[in-house]
């Protein structure tokens, strides 16, 4: 009972922080996402053992990875074209510096650590950059960026809720037993329907291009949120851990809370970009 109360209160604070930051404006939301990026990077670095037996070079590598991921997030303040330009510039500079540092990394698995570094920057930094791109740029006619991002967050939460409720009641057929034994196809379709309904509701509340666009957004969010959750499960099962951290009581780490988002944000960006075609 105590764990349920703790989990519920932590969830309320988490949701309130995101919604409040979105409503407060882009600088507040960008600041919150910057904090999420730093914490998630630290959690992933800890999971893969990048902090074990630290040396000067390994410490510099960790700082470089976090700086690159954080820099990607901050490019959103420069406008649409500037964000794309600076993102490419940051990734190019990062790869050059990271390759040079790998040459001086005396650990026997230096190449593995480099692979982990690049994955962390792309997996977390590029995803949050995509989210900020959606939040700071009105890509849909008649729909503000914060409205789109708020809808995406609500869809992710409803997808989790629908999958849990329906899966708990009638879930029989395993969706991806190798990585997540509790997920079922019935639960997936429950979350999928919740997202489609949320899309229809978003069209009624915010308007925008069309009902089909919003319902399509719900489908994209549901599918990629499920894959995003499964990918983090793959990471944790490979490394033999239950949670990415303990910063959110009852929920684990930040990475545990934004795992779906890290795949949804890039997918939604591509969906919105290719929508006119």
């Amino acid at each position: 009972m105590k764990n349920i109360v703790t989990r519920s209160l932590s969830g309320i604070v988490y949701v309130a922080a995101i919604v409040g930051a979105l409503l407060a404006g882009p600088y507040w939301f960008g600041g919150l996402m910057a904090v999420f990026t730093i914490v998630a990077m630290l959690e992933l670095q800890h999971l893969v053992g990048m902090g074990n037996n630290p040396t000067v070079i390994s410490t510099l590598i960790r700082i470089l990875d976090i700086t690159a991921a954080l820099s990607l997030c901050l490019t959103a303040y420069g406008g649409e074209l500037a964000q794309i330009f600076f993102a490419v510039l940051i990734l190019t500079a990062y790869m050059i510096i990271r390759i040079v540092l790998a040459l001086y990394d005396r650990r026997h698995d230096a190449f593995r650590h480099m692979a982990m570094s690049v994955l962390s920057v792309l997996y977390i930094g590029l995803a949050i950059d995509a989210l900020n791109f959606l939040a700071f740029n009105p890509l849909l006619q008649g729909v503000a960026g914060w409205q789109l991002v708020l809808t995406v967050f609500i869809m992710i939460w409803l997808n989790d809720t629908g999958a849990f409720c329906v899966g708990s009641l009638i879930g029989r057929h395993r969706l991806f037993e190798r990585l997540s034994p509790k997920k079922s196809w019935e639960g997936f379709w429950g979350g999928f329907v919740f997202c489609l309904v949320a899309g229809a509701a978003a069209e009624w509340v915010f308007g925008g291009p069309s009902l089909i666009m919003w319902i399509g957004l719900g489908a994209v969010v549901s599918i990629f949120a499920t894959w995003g959750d499964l990918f983090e499960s793959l990471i944790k099962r490979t490394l033999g851990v239950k949670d990415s951290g303990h910063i959110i009581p009852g929920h684990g780490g930040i990475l545990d809370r934004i795992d779906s988002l890290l795949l949804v944000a890039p997918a939604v960006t591509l969906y919105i970009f290719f929508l006119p075609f």
Side-chain angles (χ1 to χ4, degrees), residues 76-99:
Y77 290 102
E80 187 174 335
L81 292 178
Q83 182 177 10
I84 297 172
F85 172 76
F86 282 114
V88 172
L89 195 65
I90 289 167
L91 287 174
T92 303
Y94 167 74
M95 285 301 301
I96 293 172
I97 298 171
R98 184 62 185 87
I99 288 172

Side-chain angles (χ1 to χ4, degrees), residues 20-244:
L22 272 172
L23 296 179
Y27 288 99
W28 286 94
F29 183 72
L32 181 63
M33 291 302 104
V35 172
F36 279 14
T37 300
I38 294 172
V39 176
M41 287 290 294
L42 289 171
E43 288 178 352
L44 187 57
Q45 288 178 348
H46 175 72
L47 287 179
V48 300
M50 292 181 69
N52 297 342
N53 303 316
T55 63
V56 173
I57 292 297
S58 67
T59 302
L60 286 175
I61 288 171
R62 294 187 69 186
I63 294 172
L64 173 68
D65 292 348
I66 294 173
T67 302
L70 188 59
S71 298
L72 284 173
C73 301
L74 299 179
T75 59
Y77 290 102
E80 187 174 335
L81 292 178
Q83 182 177 10
I84 297 172
F85 172 76
F86 282 114
V88 172
L89 195 65
I90 289 167
L91 287 174
T92 303
Y94 167 74
M95 285 301 301
I96 293 172
I97 298 171
R98 184 62 185 87
I99 288 172
V100 172
L101 286 177
L103 298 177
Y104 296 92
D105 189 350
R106 294 181 178 274
R107 290 173 292 187
H108 72 280
D109 53 351
F111 181 74
R112 172 183 171 274
H113 281 286
M114 180 172 175
M116 292 296 113
S117 288
V118 176
L119 172 65
S120 66
V121 172
L122 296 178
Y123 178 49
I124 297 172
L126 203 58
I128 300 297
D129 182 44
L131 183 68
N132 286 340
F133 183 78
L134 294 172
F136 297 167
N137 297 285
L139 302 177
L140 296 176
Q141 184 177 1
V143 180
W146 71 267
Q147 294 173 333
L148 174 62
V149 171
L150 179 60
T151 302
V152 168
F153 271 109
I154 291 173
M155 284 177 172
I156 291 174
W157 298 331
L158 287 176
N159 185 66
D160 289 342
T161 302
F164 175 78
C165 293
V166 176
S168 298
L169 290 173
I170 61 173
R172 297 293 182 272
H173 303 87
R174 298 303 96 187
L175 175 66
F176 218 110
E177 193 167 7
R178 178 171 62 90
L179 298 178
S180 186
K182 294 183 179 180
K183 290 187 184 299
S184 66
W185 277 105
E186 292 83 357
F188 167 76
W189 290 115
F192 189 83
V193 171
F194 272 45
C195 284
L196 297 189
V197 172
E203 196 276 337
W204 180 71
V205 174
F206 298 131
S210 69
L211 176 62
I212 297 299
M213 184 283 299
W214 284 111
I215 292 178
L217 178 67
V220 169
V221 170
S222 179
I223 293 169
F224 284 91
T226 303
W227 278 336
D229 182 66
L230 287 170
F231 181 71
E232 203 223 357
S233 295
L234 172 63
I235 294 174
K236 292 190 292 187
R237 281 188 173 272
T238 301
L239 300 173
V241 297
K242 183 178 183 295
D243 297 316
S244 66

